[in-house]
Amino acid sequence: MTDTRDTEALAARAAAGDEEALDRLLREIRPEIVRRCGRFLPFREDAEEAAQDVLLQVSRNITRFEGRSRFSTWLYTIVTNCARQKYRELKRRAAERPLLDTEAAGPDPRTTSVIAGSRLDLLDALENLERDSPHLVAPLVYRDICEMEYAEIAERTGIPVGTVKSRLHHARKQIRPWLLGERR
């Protein structure tokens, strides 16, 4: 993103209904959104699709941004949700494909690289964590994927910094076996 102060000011103006500010904001944040979606999704095309979803959500919901937290915090929540939703959609589509189609197409390129495989393993681990301990997901995603500071995570989640750190520790401990292939 460009200068954080400029982005925050644009977001505030867009939230107040300034269409020109919204257009400029969307143009300026797009590269960062694609990059952040790429942290979740192993293929650029999928990351770009998720980024389009993010931009759409931002444009539809910018008036709900109240400025109580930083715009980047609000934005990363949307990025996280849209990227994880895109992953679920891709996973569902893959499961619906008949076996013959997958054999004829050859190996799935999403699982042939270490990077792609590790991202998919992470997304699977997050799905499992959400099923088993949903309160641990947000701190893990915000810190390890969105690279947010502890104070910002605490502000976003409404829990004390010590609780954020504790939940992050437990989340990492819980997903480690999934990432190492010890649990399925």
Side-chain angles (χ1 to χ4, degrees):
M1 273 191 257
T2 58
D3 183 12
T4 304
R5 290 179 305 228
D6 291 346
T7 304
E8 295 293 328
L10 276 175
R13 288 182 22 224
D18 183 336
E19 290 292 324
E20 186 178 316
L22 176 60
D23 289 342
R24 186 168 160 217
L25 177 69
L26 294 174
R27 279 193 312 276
E28 288 187 13
I29 64 174
R30 187 184 187 289
E32 177 70 9
I33 290 171
V34 171
R35 189 178 73 75
R36 293 225 177 237
C37 287
R39 288 195 163 159
F40 286 93
L41 301 162
F43 290 91
R44 182 156 181 91
E45 298 82 19
D46 297 335
E48 287 180 358
E49 281 185 37
Q52 285 302 110
D53 294 342
V54 171
L55 293 171
L56 185 60
Q57 290 296 320
V58 169
S59 66
R60 285 182 177 166
N61 297 307
I62 190 68
T63 56
R64 293 184 186 156
F65 173 64
E66 298 172 348
R68 286 183 285 167
S69 64
R70 293 190 339 210
F71 173 72
S72 60
T73 304
W74 184 79
L75 178 64
Y76 296 153
T77 301
I78 296 171
V79 168
T80 300
N81 291 338
C82 287
R84 291 181 65 208
Q85 184 59 40
K86 174 56 68 180
Y87 172 70
R88 288 184 194 112
E89 176 186 315
L90 292 167
K91 192 173 173 181
R92 187 174 48 253
R93 266 194 264 152
E96 291 171 354
R97 231 180 297 141
L99 182 59
L100 293 174
D101 282 354
T102 58
E103 288 174 350
D108 183 353
R110 295 171 197 279
T111 58
T112 56
S113 80
V114 173
I115 294 171
S118 63
R119 288 184 192 165
L120 296 177
D121 290 343
L122 175 60
L123 289 167
D124 283 337
L126 286 172
E127 293 297 308
N128 291 326
L129 184 63
E130 188 166 46
R131 182 190 64 232
D132 295 348
S133 305
H135 64 287
L136 300 178
V137 174
L140 180 72
V141 168
Y142 288 149
R143 182 69 182 165
D144 290 352
I145 297 172
C146 296
E147 298 177 339
M148 294 168 73
E149 298 296 326
Y150 291 113
E152 194 174 2
I153 298 167
E155 179 184 325
R156 182 69 190 152
T157 58
I159 56 177
V161 171
T163 304
V164 167
K165 290 179 180 181
S166 173
R167 288 183 181 179
L168 180 59
H169 170 76
H170 290 294
R172 288 173 176 162
K173 188 174 170 182
Q174 202 165 328
I175 69 163
R176 187 172 291 119
W178 286 309
L179 295 176
L180 297 175
E182 298 168 5
R183 280 168 68 174
R184 289 288 167 209

